[in-house]
Structure formats: C-alpha cells, structure tokens
Amino acid sequence: MDFRKVYDVLGWLGHHCLPLRCLVCANPGNDGLDLCAPCYAELPWNDHACPLCALPLPPDEPAKVCGACLAEPPRQAGAAATFLYAPPIDRLVLRFKFHQDLAAGRLLSQLMLHAVPDFAEYPLLPMPLHGRRLRERGYDQARELARPLARELQLPLWTGLCRSRATLAQSTLDADARRQNLKGAFAVRATPPSRLILVDDVMTTGATLDAAVRALRRSGLQEAMLWVCARAP
C-alpha cells in the first residue's frame, strides 16, 4: 500500500466532504482550516527571530543576528521557524509526529504557508527518517510537511539525503550528546543542487539539521537554508 496516496486521498475527502473542525478546541474551523479564528489568533508566531538560526529574540530588541551566531556562524545561510514550540503548536506537533494524527500535520503545513520565508525559492529537502523508524511510524513527518509546501510553492522536492544509521532519540539527550549521536548519521546518495532548503518539524539545538548540512556540503552543496515548523526557545 502506498501510504502517501492514502494520505492524499483521505486529506482530500476530509477537506471537501467533512465540516472543518478546530483541532485545538473542537469548535467549527474557519477560513479553510481545521482551526477556529480565536485559536488562530493565539498561535505563537516566531516573527522576531535571528535570521541565521531562527532563535526567538526578545521583543524589545531589534531583529538581528543573535550572539551565538555572531560568535560561531552556523553552516546554514538562513533559517526560519514559523512558530515557537509552545501551545498549541507543541501539542499539534506531538499528535502528528507520534500519534498518527495526519490531520494535525496537514494543518501545520497549511499554517507554514501563512509565513513563507523570503528564501523559499530553492528545492525543498525533507529531513529523512532512518528506515527502521519509518517502518515503525508508517510515514516521515518532515516529508508530509514538505510535500504540500513544495506543491503550493511550485518547488521541487529533493530526496538525495538518507539516514545511514539509526540514532538515539535526540529528545532524550543534552546538547553535547546530540552532536555525538549524529556523527556519521547521514549519507548523500546523489549530487545535491547548489542550494537547498531543509524542512523539518522542530528545531531545538539545531544539531540534526547541522549534521545534515555538513554531509551535504561535503557532497557539493553551496548554500543551505532551514525552514522548520517550530523552534524551541
């Protein structure tokens, strides 16, 4: 069974045949979304952040490169996170990622299109899952986010990056252990385009994305940008 085709068919049927229902409070949805207007108004948009790592900045500071990126410039040339990893986005991400709530994933992808970064003009690379985890979960959450983005923005998907080995769950590790955990975790199966936008659900320390960019740069990538649904403060 092609899971992605089933997902697309179910999504189309749900969007066109069922009434919209807010996934946060269960009230009627609004403006073509499974989200009501009051819950939409409470979304934690990350619209004041470092342009290199998407770290949220204090509201009283001008939007600028953060101190960490000034001290040690990251490998990526830019980064954007649509939201802070805060309620209700954090709950929607968890439902999508760990509880097979594909409607939550569809909503998150739709919301990402409400704040498209200026650099969104290059091929999208969804962060890959290791094959074992993909079999356990049944779908790759980053790819399910990236596919609608690519379709709506008319951008190609590039999938030449793979997980070469299984790693421990990053959420269980501290920053140093995360970096060690990801050594040799990615392999590049094809020559990448000169520029790519890496798409993922959540960015915490950025270690996973950095490891992917490092592998891609070794294979010829010139410039990488990051676009994630949510950024942990």
Side-chain angles (χ1 to χ4, degrees), residues 58-135:
D60 56 344
E61 289 187 9
K64 60 182 181 180
V65 176
C66 71
C69 288
L70 286 174
E72 186 177 351
R75 297 178 209 276
Q76 69 269 11
T82 308
F83 298 106
L84 300 175
Y85 190 66
I89 293 298
D90 54 355
R91 296 194 296 273
L92 291 172
V93 169
L94 291 175
R95 286 164 54 179
F96 172 46
K97 191 170 182 175
F98 298 114
H99 300 285
Q100 298 185 327
D101 190 339
L102 299 178
R106 183 170 60 251
L107 173 62
L108 292 170
S109 186
Q110 290 173 318
L111 291 171
M112 290 175 73
L113 288 166
H114 288 206
V116 177
D118 293 339
F119 55 67
E121 54 181 317
Y122 307 116
L124 303 183
L125 165 60
M127 288 293 289
L129 284 178
H130 187 265
R132 185 178 68 189
R133 192 160 294 170
L134 179 61
R135 289 190 294 272

Side-chain angles (χ1 to χ4, degrees), residues 165-208:
R165 66 176 181 84
T167 56
L168 298 174
Q170 289 287 90
S171 59
T172 66
L173 306 173
D174 62 24
D176 289 337
R178 285 172 186 243
R179 287 188 287 270
Q180 292 296 320
N181 185 45
L182 290 163
K183 285 188 174 181
F186 292 100
V188 182
R189 300 178 298 183
T191 301
S194 60
R195 292 175 176 83
L196 279 171
I197 302 170
L198 282 68
V199 177
D200 208 358
D201 53 352
V202 178
M203 181 176 177
T204 306
T205 66
T208 303

Side-chain angles (χ1 to χ4, degrees), residues 24-53:
V24 176
C25 70
N27 284 328
N30 181 63
D31 197 23
L33 300 172
D34 282 315
L35 193 69
C36 67
C39 287
Y40 184 93
E42 296 298 319
L43 292 175
W45 300 95
N46 186 34
D47 50 12
H48 189 68
C50 172
L52 292 183
C53 71

